[in-house]
């Protein structure tokens, strides 16, 4: 595939990142013995079609297949049979084996023999078919044809005939063409594989695979600009590396000589008026047709756009102008001289007098030095964007405002505000760049405190906990900032870093920092802390994170307060819900944590940024697993993995891998311990939360594989020899797993001191969850005469039902204890309940163990059908419930802030999973309706 007329393929092998499914499909055609035997790849320029064809051809050659290749060329598209000659060139020596009349037809078409008359089309088609069929009897064939849209029509007709008539398995065909639909002349019923943009995660991985990939705001700009197109990512990365320009419409799109060459001929061929329109469209960020035409001084008609549309540069539709390829926009922008680009931004600013936000950006693009008027306009733009939740746009505007600011004090203040917005956008590398700029410009303690908050969490998300703690503590010493909200913000970030690190220096100062005199909200640069209700909950979760034993009391106190009706939406309410989720998680109210996190995440997603959720995403994943919402956990972990890849959140990437491994182990799936790189990607000594999750995953995987010695070794590593926890919160939640592994290996005496240490650490009034886990652990490792007492206490409390996997394990272990004491009748109901829970959860390994125990107790053990609703995501379950209540799609969409089309799509996908065909059947799945 070429990216421009006559250009050479530019995609490196790294472009195969994110194309594993497509690669498997294509190799299935090459290697398979069944259907399909032919496949057409479609996609825009730069999506990787040529590279995928090359992979298939290399695999075929390695398997001894004869590969016949051709590539359409616009220059040869009017030469009859040019592409067919290229395709059959390796077989032409065999043409002598054809019957004379067929050989003459073939050689005449290719100009090998003198043309006494026009070659007979039927004879030529039969000659090619006979030649290929004969060759396939000696050796398997693969026909690979790229850029089919540029094939000459005569070659395409013959190729189409051969594809229709070839019935032998030994001939396989792969075609590729640019666009979304098959080119003219290609059979409409040919199987198609459409290459769309890469996923966000794959695009980030491809960017990271390039030499010296950009960081900070440039990284996110580039990913947005490329739109998931592999070639655009490669070329824009090269441009940013060599030119240093950021991929911003106002600051200059990256360019390289290669980009210019790809589109230069098409741009030069445009009329002057069209070139001017295209330049103004490239300079305009929104692609608003009326604004572009007004700024360019064009007339009311669209005739001047036609040459650009015919050249494949832009599409004009529904009042918008859009570039067909990200690189076309970059080339069009830099195709004009600097003075014309400068004038384009001035004209666009003049045309946008009624839109201050967009006008400010174009003024900034036209600003050649410092200008306070432009800086102030950009700051106002950022404030509007932030109120709407556009954190990335706000950070971009504030950073540019700082660059335009004449005074160092204003520059530092605006960089600090940009840092806050970049933090909310979830980009740690950008935050660190901005922090360095703030520190270089000011010594103001409050401003440095604002910057330290962002830098501390950015360093933490990058896996550098000690550096993060150092930055935060330096902002608090020798004395904290005067502003109480800045102190609260610093303490909240300190707690988050302290949790991830597991190091005591992150938790010890918090109680003294959060005195009652600092709790009141007032004028503050923190939008999250502008309401007393959000301040109170942030303070509570910060204290709970420092000392989780106090979390239940703090949660109860906060929930006793009446709600604030004025916080129905907005950043303060989002902050309050997010903090409530963390507070509930520390208090071991997992169901409540899931509910609060869901609501907070939904608001963040509506704002278009999950950045502020970064420190809590692993907690949400754990809560979903622990509460048995495994389908929702899969979806959540997939989204978290994407966020972590895009923003390079190092420890979060490993947390996701650990939680996925845990989930596989609980399901009884193969997969084993997280891969070796997960144990070395960050320093586990200063990322103890991640280390604890890895150890839990490794222990669960070993237990699922039946290696209980290894399982015990991993679980024991969560504690020191004296019972000191590796992590002050997470280690304790694995105490029952540790006890179970010790019981299976007959090493209860090794686990008993740790169980005792955990009991002492959680205090005299542990949470319900810890109470149940400790009873379970004591039953397995404590005094045998007290075992039944502890088992009963571990399974009878109805509060334990919110943790189905742990409750089912406790029932299974109790039943096994009973059966081995010749009490099968007492064991049966426990085993039946455990089997039902494991089956509904999808825990195949544990379900089979329960089934064996049930048979051994004298029960046949009829299979339990899995709950169909458990396979749905949380959003799908909400939609199904509302539909079962009789709500129409539009009403459901309004209630869940979705589009009616999204609701309809979800229901369409859900019906087969539930085995229903209409809405009225949905009520059968809900006993409370």
């Amino acid at each position: 595939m070429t990216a421009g007329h006559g250009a050479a393929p530019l995609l490196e092998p790294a472009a195969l990142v994110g194309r594993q499914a497509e690669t498997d499909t294509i190799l299935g055609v090459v290697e398979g013995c069944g259907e399909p035997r032919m496949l057409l790849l479609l996609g825009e320029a730069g999506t990787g079609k040529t590279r995928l064809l090359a992979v298939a051809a290399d695999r075929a050659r390695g398997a001894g297949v004869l590969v016949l290749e051709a590539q359409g060329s616009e220059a040869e598209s009017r030469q009859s049979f040019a592409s067919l000659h290229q395709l059959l060139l390796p077989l032409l020596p065999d043409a002598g084996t054809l019957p004379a009349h067929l050989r003459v037809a073939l050689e005449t078409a290719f100009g090998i023999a003198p043309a006494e008359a026009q070659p007979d089309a039927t004879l030529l088609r039969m000659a090619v078919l006979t030649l290929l069929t004969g060759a396939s009897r000696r050796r398997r064939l693969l026909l690979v044809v790229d850029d089919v849209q540029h094939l000459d029509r005569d070659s395409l007709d013959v190729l189409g005939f051969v594809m229709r008539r070839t019935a032998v398995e030994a001939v396989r065909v792969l075609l590729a063409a640019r666009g979304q639909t098959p080119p003219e002349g290609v059979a409409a019923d040919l199987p198609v594989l459409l290459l769309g943009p890469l996923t966000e995660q794959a695009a980030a991985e491809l960017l990271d695979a390039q030499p010296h990939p950009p960081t900070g705001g440039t990284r996110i700009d580039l990913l947005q600009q490329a739109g998931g197109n592999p070639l655009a990512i490669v070329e824009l990365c090269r441009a940013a590396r060599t030119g240093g320009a950021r991929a911003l419409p106002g600051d200059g799109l990256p360019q390289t000589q290669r980009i210019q060459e790809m589109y230069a001929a098409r741009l030069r061929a445009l009329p002057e008026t069209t070139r001017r329109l295209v330049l103004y469209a490239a300079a305009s960020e929104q692609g608003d047709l009326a604004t572009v035409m007004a700024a360019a001084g064009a007339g009311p008609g669209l005739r001047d756009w036609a040459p650009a549309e015919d050249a494949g540069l832009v599409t004009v539709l529904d009042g918008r102008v859009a570039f067909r390829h990200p690189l076309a926009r970059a080339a069009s922008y830099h195709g004009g001289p600097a003075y014309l680009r400068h004038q384009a931004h001035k004209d666009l600013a003049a045309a946008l007098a009624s839109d201050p936000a967009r006008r400010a950006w174009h003024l900034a693009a036209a600003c050649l030095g410092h200008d306070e008027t432009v800086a102030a306009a950009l700051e106002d733009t950022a404030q509007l964007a932030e109120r709407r939740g556009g954190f990335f746009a706000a950070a971009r505007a504030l950073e540019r405002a700082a660059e335009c600011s004449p005074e160092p004090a204003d520059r530092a203040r605006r960089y600090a505000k940009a840092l806050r917005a970049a933090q909310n956008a979830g980009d740690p590398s950008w935050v660190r760049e901005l922090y360095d700029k703030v520190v270089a410009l000011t010594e103001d303690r409050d401003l440095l405190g604002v910057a330290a908050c962002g830098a501390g969490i950015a360093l933490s998300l990058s896996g550098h906990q000690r550096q993060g703690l150092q930055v935060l503590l330096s902002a608090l010493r020798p004395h904290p900032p005067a502003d109480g909200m800045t102190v609260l913000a610093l303490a909240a970030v300190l707690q988050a870093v302290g949790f991830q690190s597991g190091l005591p220096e992150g938790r010890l100062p918090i109680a003294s920092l959060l005195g009652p005199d600092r709790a009141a909200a007032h004028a503050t640069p923190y939008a999250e802390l502008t309401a007393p209700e959000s301040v109170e909950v942030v303070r509570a979760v910060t204290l709970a994170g420092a000392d989780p034993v106090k979390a239940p009391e703090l949660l109860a106190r906060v929930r006793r307060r009446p709600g604030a009706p004025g916080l129905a939406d907005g950043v303060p309410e989002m902050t309050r819900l997010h903090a409530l989720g963390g507070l509930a998680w520390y208090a071991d109210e997992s169901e409540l944590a899931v509910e609060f996190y869901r609501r907070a995440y939904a608001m963040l997603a509506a704002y278009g940024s999950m950045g502020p959720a970064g420190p809590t995403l692993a907690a949400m994943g754990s809560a979903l697993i622990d509460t048995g919402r495994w389908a929702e956990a899969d979806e959540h972990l997939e989204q978290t993995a994407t966020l972590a890849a895009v923003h390079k959140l190092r420890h979060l990437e490993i947390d996701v891998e650990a939680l996925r491994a845990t989930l596989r182990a609980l399901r009884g799936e193969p997969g084993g311990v997280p891969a070796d790189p997960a144990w070395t990607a960050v320093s586990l000594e200063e990322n103890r939360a991640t280390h604890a999750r890895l150890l839990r995953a490794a222990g669960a995987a070993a237990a699922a594989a039946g290696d209980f010695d290894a399982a015990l070794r991993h679980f024991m590593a969560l504690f020191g020899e004296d019972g000191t926890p590796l992590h002050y919160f997470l280690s304790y939640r694995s105490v029952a797993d540790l006890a179970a592994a010790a019981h299976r290996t007959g090493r209860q005496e090794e686990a008993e001191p740790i169980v005792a240490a955990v009991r002492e650490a959680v205090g005299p009034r542990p949470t319900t969850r810890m109470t149940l886990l400790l009873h379970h652990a004591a039953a397995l490792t404590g005094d045998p005469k007290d075992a039944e007492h502890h088992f009963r206490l571990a399974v009878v409390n109805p509060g334990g039902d919110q943790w189905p996997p742990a409750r089912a394990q406790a029932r299974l272990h109790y039943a096994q204890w009973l059966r081995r004491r010749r009490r099968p009748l007492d064991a049966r109901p426990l085993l039946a309940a455990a089997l039902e829970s494991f089956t509904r959860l999808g825990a195949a390994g544990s379900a089979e163990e329960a089934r064996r125990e049930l048979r051994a107790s004298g029960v046949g053990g009829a299979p339990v059908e899995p709950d169909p609703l458990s396979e749905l995501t949380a959003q799908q379950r909400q939609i199904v419930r509302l539909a079962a209540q009789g709500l129409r799609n539009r009403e459901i969409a309004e209630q869940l802030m979705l589009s009616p089309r999204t609701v309809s799509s979800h229901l369409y996908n859900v019906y087969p999973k539930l085995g229903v065909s209409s809405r009225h059947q949905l009520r059968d799945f809900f006993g409370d309706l």
Side-chain angles (χ1 to χ4, degrees):
M1 176 194 57
T2 59
H5 296 292
L10 296 176
L11 283 178
E12 283 86 353
L16 282 174
V17 171
R19 296 297 191 202
Q20 188 57 53
E22 293 88 344
T23 301
D24 292 343
T25 299
I26 291 172
L27 294 182
V29 174
V30 174
E31 300 171 349
C33 298
E35 298 296 332
R37 293 183 298 107
M38 303 172 187
L39 187 67
L40 171 64
L41 277 69
L42 292 175
E44 297 300 336
T47 49
K49 302 184 296 296
T50 296
R51 183 59 193 161
L52 284 167
L53 290 181
V55 168
D58 289 345
R59 179 67 65 88
R61 290 190 188 95
V65 177
L66 176 61
V67 179
L68 304 178
E69 295 179 281
Q71 182 169 17
S73 167
E74 194 171 18
E76 295 184 346
S77 61
R78 291 178 175 82
Q79 299 178 22
S80 292
F81 306 116
S83 299
L84 186 64
H85 180 263
Q86 184 184 359
L87 183 70
L88 297 180
L89 194 59
L91 295 183
L92 288 184
D94 298 333
T97 63
L98 294 173
H101 63 295
L102 298 182
R103 176 176 54 78
V104 170
L106 185 69
E107 291 178 346
T108 301
F110 290 162
I112 299 174
E116 298 177 358
Q118 186 75 15
D120 186 286
T122 301
L123 290 179
L124 176 61
R125 291 173 178 176
M126 290 305 300
V128 174
L129 179 62
T130 304
L131 186 66
L132 289 172
T133 303
S136 70
R137 293 193 184 102
R138 301 186 298 273
R139 188 177 176 187
R140 288 189 297 149
L141 296 182
L142 174 65
L143 277 56
V144 178
V145 184
D146 198 1
D147 284 331
V148 172
Q149 76 277 1
H150 291 320
L151 257 61
D152 63 273
R153 189 54 189 260
D154 292 326
S155 294
L156 190 57
D157 287 343
V158 174
L159 183 61
F161 172 82
V162 170
M163 290 169 63
R164 289 191 298 273
R165 292 294 188 273
T166 301
V168 293
E169 284 287 335
V171 178
R172 302 271 163 162
V173 182
L174 289 175
L175 310 179
R178 187 179 302 170
Q180 305 291 313
T181 56
E184 184 181 355
V186 175
D189 59 349
L190 191 65
V192 169
L193 176 61
L194 182 62
L195 299 185
L198 295 177
T199 65
E200 287 184 86
Q201 184 174 357
E205 290 173 2
L206 176 57
L207 178 60
D208 290 335
Q210 305 308 306
H212 311 294
T215 60
T218 306
R219 173 186 173 82
I220 305 303
D221 278 333
L222 193 152
L223 288 171
Q224 290 185 347
Q225 192 71 30
N229 184 280
L231 178 61
I233 292 170
V234 171
E235 283 302 315
L236 292 178
C237 185
R238 181 181 286 112
R241 184 170 67 249
T242 57
R246 293 198 303 140
L248 278 172
D251 287 343
L253 294 159
Q255 64 168 330
T256 63
Q257 189 65 28
R258 286 156 65 94
I259 293 176
Q260 282 300 116
E261 289 174 355
M262 288 163 60
Y263 293 96
R266 275 185 271 181
L267 290 167
R268 281 196 302 268
L270 297 177
E272 183 178 350
T273 303
T274 305
R275 278 205 307 273
R276 178 179 175 84
L277 286 171
V278 169
L279 171 62
Y280 276 61
S284 170
E285 189 170 1
Q286 303 295 325
D288 175 37
L289 183 62
T291 300
V292 171
M293 294 182 69
L302 299 178
R303 183 183 300 275
D304 289 333
W305 289 102
E309 290 186 287
D310 292 341
L313 292 170
V314 301
T315 57
V316 179
L317 186 67
D318 297 332
R320 316 289 301 173
V321 55
F323 284 87
R324 294 286 302 274
H325 195 281
L327 297 182
R329 182 167 176 241
S332 298
Y333 185 78
H334 288 286
Y339 79 92
L340 285 182
R341 298 197 299 270
H342 183 263
Q343 187 62 46
H345 287 295
K346 290 177 65 176
D347 292 341
L348 285 163
L352 289 166
S354 61
D355 191 337
R358 291 169 62 193
R359 180 176 180 273
W361 267 114
H362 288 292
L363 288 174
C367 179
L368 300 179
H370 295 142
D371 189 322
E372 178 58 28
T373 303
V374 173
L378 281 171
E379 190 170 12
D380 292 341
T381 294
Q383 187 175 357
L384 178 62
E386 200 157 20
R387 280 204 302 267
R388 295 172 177 170
F391 300 123
F392 180 79
R396 233 176 48 169
L398 286 163
E399 184 177 23
R400 185 69 181 119
E403 293 166 355
C404 293
S405 301
E407 297 298 325
D410 289 329
R411 205 174 306 145
R413 177 177 58 81
R414 285 165 177 153
Y415 273 134
K417 292 178 72 173
L419 183 150
R420 293 265 306 126
Q423 176 190 347
N424 285 331
D427 194 321
S429 59
W430 192 7
V431 169
R432 291 162 69 180
E433 291 175 6
L434 293 168
Y435 175 74
D436 290 339
K437 294 178 180 179
V438 175
V439 171
L441 286 167
T442 186
E443 294 182 0
D444 183 290
R445 295 287 296 167
D446 286 319
L447 207 55
L448 289 173
V450 172
C453 285
I457 202 67
L459 286 163
S460 175
L461 290 170
S462 301
H464 304 294
Q465 309 310 320
R466 291 193 184 277
Q467 288 183 43
L469 291 172
Q470 183 179 358
V471 166
L472 292 163
L473 293 173
S474 68
L476 291 164
R477 294 170 180 165
H479 53 81
D483 181 69
M485 290 301 100
T486 298
V487 174
L488 175 57
L490 282 166
V493 175
L494 191 63
Q495 178 272 313
V497 180
F499 178 88
Q500 171 60 25
S501 71
L503 300 170
E505 52 263 43
R507 307 191 307 276
L508 294 179
I510 288 176
S512 61
L513 287 171
L514 298 183
D517 58 319
R518 296 186 180 272
H522 56 270
T524 172
Y526 303 92
E528 303 94 327
L529 303 177
T530 53
E533 295 80 8
S534 63
V535 170
E536 179 187 23
V537 183
V538 169
R539 184 175 183 276
V541 73
T542 304
L543 291 169
D547 185 2
V549 171
K550 298 177 180 177
E553 179 187 348
L554 289 164
L555 177 63
R557 187 186 308 163
V558 167
R559 297 192 71 196
R560 281 196 296 268
R561 300 285 178 87
L567 293 182
D569 53 21
V571 174
E573 173 63 0
M574 178 185 69
T575 302
R576 188 184 74 88
L577 291 171
H578 197 200
L580 277 171
L583 187 53
W585 192 64
Y586 283 125
D588 276 333
E589 294 291 343
S590 304
E591 294 271 9
L592 203 58
V594 166
E595 179 58 30
F596 283 132
Y597 278 145
R598 275 182 189 154
R599 292 166 61 187
Y601 293 168
M603 294 182 73
L604 280 168
Y607 284 150
S609 173
M610 290 295 290
T616 65
L617 291 170
M620 176 60 157
S622 296
L624 290 170
I625 293 172
D626 293 338
T627 56
R629 295 173 168 86
W630 291 356
E632 186 177 349
D634 287 329
E635 183 181 18
H636 172 78
L637 293 174
E638 180 64 30
Q639 293 169 350
T640 302
T642 296
L643 181 74
V646 170
H647 295 291
K648 302 183 78 169
L649 311 181
R650 294 304 187 200
H651 81 72
L652 195 56
E653 289 181 299
I654 307 169
D655 289 336
V656 168
E657 185 172 349
L659 291 170
R660 282 174 165 168
T662 301
L663 199 46
R664 287 195 300 269
L666 291 173
R667 284 172 165 153
E669 298 173 354
V673 181
D676 289 345
W679 299 82
T680 57
V682 296
S683 168
L684 296 181
E685 189 276 330
E686 61 178 296
N687 286 273
R688 296 185 181 182
T690 296
H691 194 185
R693 291 190 175 102
L694 284 169
L695 288 170
R696 184 197 176 194
D707 187 353
F708 293 103
D709 285 309
L712 181 60
R713 185 172 66 254
H714 290 305
F715 288 131
M716 290 284 286
L718 288 165
F719 301 89
E721 292 183 1
D722 59 351
T724 303
L726 172 72
H727 189 274
Y728 70 100
F729 181 82
L730 296 178
S731 290
Y732 299 145
R733 274 69 195 168
S734 294
V735 65
D737 295 321
L738 182 151
H743 181 78
R744 289 291 191 118
T745 56
R747 295 158 62 184
Q748 294 92 324
E749 70 285 351
E750 296 179 35
E752 189 175 5
I754 293 178
V755 175
V758 173
R759 186 180 299 109
E760 181 179 354
V762 297
R765 299 178 63 186
T767 63
T768 299
R769 184 184 182 194
M770 283 309 305
T771 299
L772 296 173
L773 291 174
L774 283 167
H775 280 305
H776 189 176
L780 294 168
T781 62
D783 191 332
K785 70 176 186 299
D786 297 327
E788 185 159 19
H789 168 73
H790 287 297
F791 268 132
R792 284 179 175 173
L793 291 175
V795 301
V796 298
N797 188 333
D801 291 337
Q802 69 172 298
W803 303 286
R807 172 52 55 93
Q809 280 291 346
R811 284 173 171 157
L812 174 61
H813 292 157
Y814 184 17
Q816 289 172 330
W817 184 89
L818 289 168
R819 199 178 69 76
R820 281 151 185 74
R821 278 150 188 80
R822 303 181 182 277
R823 294 166 59 184
L825 294 178
D826 293 334
R828 287 174 188 172
L830 291 165
L831 288 170
L835 175 59
E836 181 179 13
S837 294
F838 287 136
T839 305
R840 294 193 186 284
L841 286 168
S846 297
E848 181 55 34
E849 185 178 3
R851 192 175 287 109
R852 287 197 304 269
E853 291 284 344
L854 200 56
R855 283 196 295 267
S857 70
V859 177
V864 181
E865 290 297 323
D867 179 8
L869 292 175
S870 67
E871 295 302 313
L872 308 185
T873 67
Q875 189 174 81
Q876 287 173 335
R877 285 199 296 272
Q878 285 180 294
I879 291 171
V880 168
R881 173 175 278 277
L882 293 172
Q885 292 172 357
L887 274 68
R888 292 173 298 181
N889 286 4
R890 185 169 296 280
E891 294 169 328
I892 297 172
E894 291 172 355
Q895 194 166 134
L896 299 181
M897 293 185 292
L898 302 170
S899 71
R901 179 176 294 180
T902 299
V903 173
S904 175
S905 175
H906 275 307
L907 288 172
Y908 178 82
N909 292 324
V910 159
Y911 282 178
K913 294 180 181 180
L914 299 181
V916 301
S917 57
S918 62
R919 298 170 83 95
H920 74 272
Q921 294 173 285
L922 296 176
R923 292 182 62 87
D924 298 338
F925 292 93
F926 300 95
D928 55 345
L929 297 183

